[in-house]
Amino acid sequence: MTRVIKAVERRQIGLYLLAIVAGAVFGWLVPASSVPLEQAINPALGLLLFATFLGIPFASIGKAVRDVRFMATVLVLNFVVVPGVVFGLSRFIADDRALLIGMLMVLLTPCIDYVIVFSGLAGGSSDRLLAAAPLLMLTQMLLLPLYLLVFVGPELVSAIEPGPFVEALVLLIIIPLVLAALTQQWAKRASAGGSVMTMMEGLMVPLMMLTLAVVVGSQIVSVGNRIGSLLSVIPIYAAFLVVMVPLGMAASRIGQLDAGSTKAVIFSGATRNSLVVLPLALALPEPLALVPLVVVTQTLVELIGMVAYVKIVPKIISTDQSLQSS
């Protein structure tokens, strides 16, 4: 079972891209499918986020706090440096509300799940990222509303209906998060709990594929006339990936981190938490209906970028370390 899971994880980027294309083609060719696909989004997202949160080692929060240099570097990079970068990049689309909000929501929230896999593939300290995941998750949920208020303004934020937003937060984030924490405790006491965790780990990639397919398939027709707008955020997402490599290296140098930790910091700064913000994006009112696809577009760009990161980052860090030692 473990071998199968690892094999699927190694091919996950291609599988995700395939799911996005399949969802887009199906949704475009069968427009009537948009309603049932949209109804399937929340169940798929709920299961996916439950599986995602199961991978967060809640018991390791103390360990993460004690890893002062690494944690300080990751937190400063993600919640001080990244917001500055994102604000600068957002000026290129500041006149389009849906693009702006979608871009801000996804780029201001650091990844807590597959970043661990990609960092490991590049030789990064995945165990440190795993221990840091709970704090990254809690911090981004606390700071995201503040960032949106500062970057977008109180008028636009107040125009967002709180009801659906709060409902999505409770049903698709808080409840799966609590259930995941309880399941981890169950797994410590009973083999059945461990079996549930193993099963959900094996379902992570298929659930991600399902979610991407149903989201894209349900939205593709309704935003067909806004494809040009979506294309305009692709260079911004690509620029973010490029900029975060030297910024991650600089932050790690200041923090005096070793090569493995430096790679982990770079991946943490570059990968974003589209899974967690997607239900919040889907809860936005009709005038902001494009926001979910703005979020999914970032996922597409990021997955392609991770292919390059896994190959390039180890070479850059190896060269950088050699230059420092000479």
Side-chain angles (χ1 to χ4, degrees):
M1 183 67 175
T2 304
R3 263 187 221 170
V4 173
I5 293 173
K6 296 298 181 185
V8 172
E9 284 182 347
R10 284 195 296 270
R11 295 171 175 79
Q12 62 182 301
I13 296 176
L15 292 172
Y16 295 156
L17 296 178
L18 179 63
I20 290 172
V21 172
V25 171
F26 182 77
W28 188 262
L29 295 178
V30 189
S33 66
S34 62
V35 174
L37 285 176
E38 191 162 345
Q39 292 172 342
I41 291 175
N42 280 356
L45 260 177
L47 281 172
L48 175 61
L49 289 171
F50 172 61
T52 299
F53 296 149
L54 277 177
I56 298 177
F58 296 100
S60 299
I61 293 179
K63 177 184 175 183
V65 172
R66 289 192 296 272
D67 195 355
V68 177
R69 283 195 302 177
F70 179 80
M71 182 52 61
T73 303
V74 167
L75 289 176
V76 169
L77 180 65
N78 278 297
F79 300 114
V80 178
V81 177
V82 166
V85 173
V86 171
F87 179 78
L89 292 173
S90 71
R91 298 307 88 194
F92 293 100
I93 54 170
D95 57 340
D96 190 310
R97 297 195 308 170
L99 293 183
L100 177 62
I101 291 178
M103 175 205 161
L104 291 175
M105 288 182 74
V106 71
L107 290 188
L108 289 171
T109 51
C111 184
I112 56 167
D113 39 71
Y114 60 57
V115 61
I116 296 165
V117 176
F118 292 134
S119 174
L121 291 174
S125 301
S126 297
D127 56 333
R128 286 183 161 179
L129 279 181
L130 190 62
L135 281 177
L136 287 174
M137 177 69 193
L138 293 172
T139 306
Q140 65 187 266
M141 286 294 98
L142 291 172
L143 291 182
L144 180 60
L146 177 62
Y147 288 141
L148 289 177
L149 184 65
V150 173
F151 291 171
V152 180
E155 288 185 13
L156 187 53
V157 172
S158 63
I160 298 174
E161 279 290 329
F165 200 78
V166 172
E167 182 180 350
L169 179 65
V170 172
L171 294 179
L172 294 175
I173 296 179
I174 294 177
I175 290 179
L177 192 63
V178 171
L179 288 176
L182 292 174
T183 303
Q184 287 184 10
Q185 293 300 314
W186 180 32
K188 292 178 181 178
R189 298 191 300 268
S191 59
S195 298
V196 170
M197 292 191 64
T198 301
M199 179 185 69
M200 294 308 296
E201 181 185 1
L203 289 175
M204 267 294 298
V205 174
L207 284 171
M208 177 70 163
M209 292 174 65
L210 175 65
T211 302
L212 290 173
V214 296
V215 169
V216 173
S218 67
Q219 305 292 318
I220 192 68
V221 171
S222 62
V223 298
N225 59 343
R226 299 290 306 275
I227 293 298
S229 297
L230 285 173
L231 292 176
S232 68
V233 298
I234 291 178
I236 294 175
Y237 291 148
F240 179 80
L241 287 171
V242 171
V243 167
M244 290 315 299
V245 174
L247 289 178
M249 291 174 64
S252 299
R253 190 173 289 121
I254 293 171
Q256 298 181 333
L257 301 180
D258 57 32
S261 296
T262 297
K263 294 172 188 175
V265 166
I266 291 172
F267 274 86
S268 178
T271 53
R272 304 288 90 191
N273 213 2
S274 58
L275 295 184
V276 173
V277 298
L278 187 54
L280 304 180
L282 289 164
L284 294 173
E286 181 61 31
L288 299 174
L290 190 67
V291 172
L293 278 186
V294 177
V295 172
V296 173
T297 299
Q298 188 276 336
T299 302
L300 175 61
V301 175
E302 182 174 277
L303 290 172
I304 296 172
M306 286 302 101
V307 176
Y309 260 57
V310 168
K311 294 181 178 179
I312 294 172
V313 168
K315 296 178 181 178
I316 294 176
I317 299 306
S318 177
T319 302
D320 184 63
Q321 295 289 325
S322 299
L323 290 174
Q324 288 185 58
S325 61
S326 61

